[in-house]
């Protein structure tokens, strides 16, 4: 298993505000626009557990990417001016 293939990245769109906070704000008369954010988690896997971990994540609605996939960029990789 190549070094970079040992890492998978699971990503998912999640709500920014939790249900209770959202309810309190709406109860005060506010109208909210979009509030979704994509989060991701890097996961180190082995040849013995990779497929099982991927199956768990896919079943729960996560998208999977490789660590080198340019669609999910790590914040530490950002450069000023980009």
């Amino acid at each position: 298993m190549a070094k970079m293939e040992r890492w998978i990245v699971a990503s998912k769109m999640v709500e920014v505000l939790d249900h209770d906070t959202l309810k309190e704000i709406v109860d005060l008369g506010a109208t909210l626009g979009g509030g979704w954010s994509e989060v991701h988690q890097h996961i180190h896997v082995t040849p013995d557990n990779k497929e099982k971990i991927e199956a768990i994540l896919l079943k729960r609605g996560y998208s999977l990417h490789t660590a080198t996939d340019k669609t999910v960029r790590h914040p530490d990789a950002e450069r000023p001016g980009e």
Side-chain angles (χ1 to χ4, degrees), residues 11-58:
S11 66
K12 188 174 190 179
M13 297 297 283
V14 297
E15 292 181 342
V16 174
L17 300 175
D18 63 83
H19 176 73
D20 293 336
T21 302
L22 179 67
K23 182 178 177 344
E24 286 183 52
I25 292 171
V26 170
D27 286 349
L28 291 171
T31 301
L32 299 168
W36 294 87
S37 181
E38 184 175 22
V39 296
H40 72 273
Q41 177 68 55
H42 292 239
I43 305 165
H44 188 263
V45 296
T46 68
D48 297 328
N49 64 17
K50 183 178 181 185
E51 288 182 11
K52 291 177 184 175
I53 290 171
E54 288 175 337
I56 289 168
L57 294 165
L58 289 170

